[in-house]
Amino acid sequence: MHSSNLQKDKLELIEKIIHTDDQKTLVFLKNVLSDDDSNFKLSEEQQNLVRENTENYLSEKDKGKSWDQIKAKLIAKRNG
């Protein structure tokens, strides 16, 4: 992105933030822009699941599913 466009985008965003009266929006933006990533920690169980799934993928034990398989499953789920 060109520097002047970047500056323009920043100023427009600042303007929107200044004029918002929605507390939920401000809290959301504060959390997004926060350097504190402690809200995004995985539990030990979640970390183990990610490790296991990654190992299965890399070792080709789990080759995933085709789009047709996923689509059929979603359609079946929707139709009950």
Side-chain angles (χ1 to χ4, degrees), residues 41-58:
K41 295 197 187 254
L42 297 177
S43 69
E44 190 65 35
E45 181 181 349
Q46 291 168 323
Q47 290 177 29
N48 290 335
L49 185 61
V50 169
R51 276 190 213 100
E52 180 182 333
N53 288 338
T54 301
E55 288 171 9
N56 287 339
Y57 175 76
L58 293 174

Side-chain angles (χ1 to χ4, degrees), residues 27-78:
V27 169
F28 172 78
L29 290 171
K30 184 176 179 181
N31 287 333
V32 167
L33 298 173
S34 171
D35 289 336
D36 180 18
D37 63 356
S38 63
N39 295 331
F40 303 106
K41 295 197 187 254
L42 297 177
S43 69
E44 190 65 35
E45 181 181 349
Q46 291 168 323
Q47 290 177 29
N48 290 335
L49 185 61
V50 169
R51 276 190 213 100
E52 180 182 333
N53 288 338
T54 301
E55 288 171 9
N56 287 339
Y57 175 76
L58 293 174
S59 68
E60 296 186 4
K61 289 181 186 175
D62 182 3
K63 296 193 187 253
K65 294 180 175 43
S66 71
W67 170 244
D68 289 332
Q69 291 171 312
I70 294 169
K71 186 174 156 183
K73 185 174 181 177
L74 290 172
I75 290 170
K77 194 175 206 180
R78 180 183 68 189

Side-chain angles (χ1 to χ4, degrees), residues 1-46:
M1 179 178 284
H2 192 272
S3 180
S4 65
N5 287 341
L6 181 60
Q7 289 300 98
K8 182 181 175 206
D9 288 344
K10 286 179 181 181
L11 291 172
E12 286 175 4
L13 183 56
I14 290 168
E15 181 84 16
K16 287 179 183 180
I17 292 170
I18 288 171
H19 293 298
T20 189
D21 292 327
D22 183 13
Q23 184 65 34
K24 288 165 74 173
T25 299
L26 294 174
V27 169
F28 172 78
L29 290 171
K30 184 176 179 181
N31 287 333
V32 167
L33 298 173
S34 171
D35 289 336
D36 180 18
D37 63 356
S38 63
N39 295 331
F40 303 106
K41 295 197 187 254
L42 297 177
S43 69
E44 190 65 35
E45 181 181 349
Q46 291 168 323

